[in-house]
Amino acid sequence: MPTTFKGGIHPSEMKELTSEKPFEFLPLPDQIFLPLSQHAGKQALLLKKKGDAVKKGETIAEADGFISAPVHSPVSGKINKIISLLTLTGTRSDAVVINRTDTEEEESMEPLNPDSIARGQIIERVKQAGIVGQGGAAFPTYVKLSPPPDKKIDYVILNACECEPYLTRDYRLLIEKTEEVIAGLKLILKATGVSTGIIGIEDNKPEAIKQLKTYLNKEENILLKTLKTKYPQGAEKMLIKAVTGRETPPGKLPFDVGCIIQNVGTAVSVYNAVVKGKPQTHAFITVSGLGIKEPKNLIVPVGTPLKNIIDYCGGVKDNAKKIIAGGPMMGFAQFDLNSPVTKAASGILVLTEKETSTTKESNCLNCGRCLSVCPLNLAPTRLYKFARFNKFEEAIDIGILSCMECGTCAYNCPAGIPLVQWVRFGKRKSSALLKQKTN
């Protein structure tokens, strides 16, 4: 029987809109808006200036510090200007505006032999290629491939759950690029010095499971673990619990329980960087929802404005109400279609009133439904109240900084309270409070 974790929900999957649609390449836009902050950590350091010519694959900005990642141009062209813009997550970043030219000049790295490559070479190549995690947080991948010496890592777990509704990006990668996924995982295992890899996949993907089993027949050190379909099965702590039975304590990381988590898309990017010499310049995304005329799975140049993507998919329907970057549970509502796609983008959803209808907010009913589904055993209503009434020390004491903002509480709330928004507000204020105390 498929394993899982305590709590969670099972919203309507809506994956049938795109699950059988192969990836298409989005035509190159005339203008690219390339943010210098597409990753967790410090913004990349710009190496170019206005008027400079750039080649496809060329490094535009270098990593600035340990937690940072370089940025490469997905097109050949000329830098028109440097601006400040809002990214899909609502954070502000400096960005390079590149006017594309028709020249096909490309700058790439030397392909490396995956059989003879050394561990350090893999990590360095991943760093040079600017690869960031594609599971949501966009953490620089080379850092995750370099666990502290005192942390014994037993498993590299490949997250193939894709538990958010609508999204089928990872599913299509598993179907269309199975060899690259497995080869990328093997490179990650080699880079980390870990002997056992595990692919965790939900049981609502029978075709992908069947294909993976075929390819894994000869792989003695990579296991396939089928998990119960439930949200948020793909969250790190939930995935570790379901796959290994290990509990990740509050405030601790997967390193601390002997695990490294990587996403399916990240594995493909590692393969492309090492074997093909390609930096991470494109994003694999799902464009879906009942409000888009032609749902698709796309390979999109990083820096492409949302408007270009939506137009390529036929535009929005008259009854479209909301556009979300990411999945419907943890994604970010968009108000500016000029915002560009970044490396970790997973989807663009155009939702109708039917898909976004919510219960009108009322007072908390003290029903306990939010507590029953919280996968981290937190008390969402107490977190919400402490945040709302500026009691941030109390919020910290009961674990507000441990919340991963998965949205299961808000989804299950009959009073329609925007619990996640209040928790996000409380987390920002609580973090600022702790920083103030340490200074």
Side-chain angles (χ1 to χ4, degrees):
M1 181 178 178
T3 58
T4 189
F5 59 96
K6 178 183 176 293
I9 55 176
H10 192 170
S12 297
E13 295 178 20
M14 301 297 289
K15 294 181 183 286
E16 67 278 2
L17 294 173
T18 54
S19 60
E20 301 309 313
K21 296 192 174 183
F23 280 111
E24 300 177 32
F25 277 95
L26 182 80
L28 294 175
D30 293 329
Q31 205 167 49
I32 287 285
F33 298 79
L34 200 58
L36 301 183
S37 183
Q38 301 186 45
H39 48 267
K42 198 172 180 182
Q43 177 174 287
L45 186 64
L46 184 61
L47 300 174
K48 300 289 184 177
K49 62 183 185 300
K50 179 180 176 180
D52 284 353
V54 297
K55 299 176 184 177
K56 179 181 178 182
E58 186 176 355
T59 304
I60 299 297
E62 64 183 2
D64 188 14
F66 183 61
I67 311 296
S68 187
V71 176
H72 304 77
S73 176
V75 298
S76 293
K78 182 175 285 189
I79 294 179
N80 175 269
K81 55 186 173 180
I82 315 298
I83 62 172
S84 175
L85 53 67
L86 287 175
T87 66
L88 300 182
T89 59
T91 58
R92 189 161 287 281
S93 171
D94 291 337
V96 177
V97 181
I98 302 174
N99 291 342
R100 182 176 65 86
T101 58
D102 291 330
T103 58
E104 290 297 322
E105 288 186 279
E106 184 171 357
E107 189 171 292
S108 59
M109 299 170 287
E110 179 187 358
L112 301 172
N113 187 333
D115 296 323
S116 59
I117 191 172
R119 174 181 177 180
Q121 285 179 292
I122 299 172
I123 296 172
E124 183 60 28
R125 172 54 60 87
V126 167
K127 182 179 180 180
Q128 290 173 348
I131 298 174
V132 303
Q134 294 175 43
F139 201 78
T141 299
Y142 89 94
V143 179
K144 292 180 75 172
L145 299 184
S146 311
D150 62 327
K151 304 293 184 185
K152 182 181 182 301
I153 307 300
D154 302 308
Y155 306 108
V156 170
I157 302 174
L158 195 68
N159 180 4
C161 293
E162 198 165 42
C163 58
E164 279 260 21
Y166 294 92
L167 302 184
T168 57
R169 174 196 71 167
D170 291 354
Y171 175 74
R172 291 310 310 177
L173 286 173
L174 291 168
I175 294 291
E176 297 180 46
K177 297 183 179 292
T178 319
E179 288 186 71
E180 289 96 323
V181 170
I182 294 171
L185 175 55
K186 290 167 74 172
L187 284 165
I188 292 168
L189 286 168
K190 193 170 187 177
T192 54
V194 178
S195 59
T196 304
I198 305 174
I199 301 176
I201 185 169
E202 289 186 322
D203 59 5
N204 64 345
K205 303 172 180 64
E207 286 303 314
I209 292 170
K210 180 181 177 182
Q211 191 149 320
L212 283 168
K213 284 181 176 178
T214 300
Y215 278 87
L216 290 174
N217 268 339
K218 298 179 181 179
E219 302 292 340
E220 296 180 359
N221 63 331
I222 299 178
L223 310 174
L224 185 63
K225 190 83 169 180
T226 304
L227 310 173
K228 184 176 180 179
T229 300
K230 186 167 66 169
Y231 178 85
Q233 184 68 81
E236 284 188 339
K237 292 184 178 182
M238 281 56 261
L239 183 58
I240 290 170
K241 173 64 176 175
V243 168
T244 70
R246 299 178 181 182
E247 299 270 1
T248 309
K252 297 296 183 180
L253 298 170
F255 284 161
D256 296 304
V257 291
C259 298
I260 290 175
I261 311 293
Q262 296 288 359
N263 180 266
V264 167
T266 310
V268 173
S269 293
V270 170
Y271 170 85
N272 286 336
V274 173
V275 179
K276 297 183 178 180
K278 303 285 187 182
Q280 190 176 0
T281 58
H282 286 66
F284 300 97
I285 66 170
T286 295
V287 184
S288 191
L290 298 179
I292 191 80
K293 290 182 179 177
E294 300 173 26
K296 296 177 183 289
N297 289 299
L298 297 175
I299 302 174
V300 177
V302 168
T304 301
L306 294 185
K307 185 180 184 304
N308 293 57
I309 298 167
I310 290 170
D311 287 347
Y312 182 72
C313 294
V316 301
K317 296 179 182 178
D318 292 340
N319 60 346
K321 183 180 180 183
K322 182 183 286 189
I323 296 176
I324 294 176
M329 301 299 294
M330 294 187 72
F332 294 82
Q334 302 297 304
F335 65 90
D336 185 357
L337 295 186
N338 291 313
S339 293
V341 164
T342 51
K343 295 177 186 178
S346 57
I348 305 298
L349 305 183
V350 183
L351 306 180
T352 63
E353 173 120 22
K354 176 184 175 183
E355 296 166 285
T356 59
S357 60
T358 55
T359 305
K360 186 177 179 180
E361 184 178 353
S362 62
N363 292 331
C364 176
L365 306 175
N366 294 315
C367 64
R369 287 176 62 177
C370 61
L371 283 80
S372 68
V373 296
C374 177
L376 295 178
N377 296 314
L378 299 174
T381 50
R382 294 188 69 201
L383 295 176
Y384 141 72
K385 289 173 182 176
F386 284 146
R388 184 170 183 173
F389 295 104
N390 298 325
K391 296 183 179 294
F392 303 117
E393 289 189 355
E394 291 89 340
I396 293 169
D397 288 341
I398 64 167
I400 193 168
L401 296 176
S402 296
C403 174
M404 59 183 174
E405 304 170 24
C406 68
T408 54
C409 56
Y411 181 88
N412 222 38
C413 178
I417 299 171
L419 295 165
V420 176
Q421 285 88 332
W422 279 110
V423 169
R424 280 178 179 163
F425 167 76
K427 285 175 72 175
R428 286 197 301 271
K429 293 292 186 178
S430 297
S431 296
L433 178 65
L434 289 177
K435 187 176 181 180
Q436 183 180 352
K437 283 185 173 182
T438 55
N439 292 337

